[in-house]
Amino acid sequence: MLDNLSDMGILSGTGYRIYEPDAPVTTEQLATCLVTVLGYEKYASLSGGFPKGYMSSADSLKLFRHSSAALGKELDEADFVMVTANALKANIAQIIAEGSGIAIEESDETVLSKYHRAVKKLGKIMKEADIE
C-alpha cells in the first residue's frame, strides 16, 4: 500500500521505497501529504516546494486550525487527528485548463463529498427514535 501511495506521488518516504512507519511524523510531512491529497501539490511547488510551499498551502487551507502543530515539531496523536479532520473538511483543488496552461482553483467539494458522497446537514433533533 505504501508503494502505491508513493507511485501516486502522495508519499515519498525517506529514500527510494524506504519508509519509517515507526518514526514520528512532523508537521511538514503531514502538511505535504495532505496538501498533495487535496490536489494543491502544483500550487505548493510553485510557492516554494518543501517545506515552505506546503506549509503555506496548509495554512491557507486552515489545516492547522485548533491544533498546536508547529514548524519542525513532531505531531502528537491529538494534533494528527485534528489536522486530518480539518483536511477532510477542506475544499479540494480543481484543475482548470486555460489556453495552453492550467489554473488551480478551490472547488466546492471536499474529499468526503467527492469520493464518498458525504454531505453536511444542519438541523435540530426534535425527537429520539426508538431503535431496537
Side-chain angles (χ1 to χ4, degrees):
M1 181 167 157
L2 291 176
D3 287 342
N4 291 341
L5 292 172
S6 179
D7 291 342
M8 293 172 12
I10 295 170
L11 295 177
S12 61
T14 57
Y16 182 73
R17 303 243 191 255
I18 298 172
Y19 308 100
E20 297 179 37
D22 295 328
V25 176
T26 66
T27 302
E28 297 88 343
Q29 290 169 330
L30 185 58
T32 300
C33 181
L34 295 176
V35 165
T36 301
V37 166
L38 293 170
Y40 294 93
E41 180 180 19
K42 295 271 187 221
Y43 179 78
S45 294
L46 293 172
S47 299
F50 181 83
K52 182 184 172 192
Y54 287 92
M55 292 298 292
S56 175
S57 296
D59 282 338
S60 295
L61 293 164
K62 298 182 172 113
L63 298 186
F64 300 114
R65 183 180 46 211
H66 305 300
S67 80
S68 62
L71 194 64
K73 181 182 174 206
E74 295 175 0
L75 293 170
D76 60 23
E77 288 180 28
D79 284 333
F80 187 90
V81 169
M82 181 57 67
V83 174
T84 303
N86 289 338
L88 291 174
K89 294 183 257 180
N91 292 343
I92 58 175
Q94 177 178 342
I95 308 296
I96 299 178
E98 286 188 349
S100 60
I102 62 166
I104 302 169
E105 290 184 357
E106 193 173 291
S107 74
D108 292 332
E109 295 182 294
T110 67
V111 169
L112 292 176
S113 67
K114 181 168 178 111
Y115 300 109
H116 300 287
R117 290 185 249 146
V119 294
K120 182 178 181 178
K121 298 278 185 178
L122 298 175
K124 191 176 196 181
I125 298 175
M126 303 301 287
K127 180 180 175 187
E128 291 184 32
D130 291 328
I131 300 175
E132 294 183 28

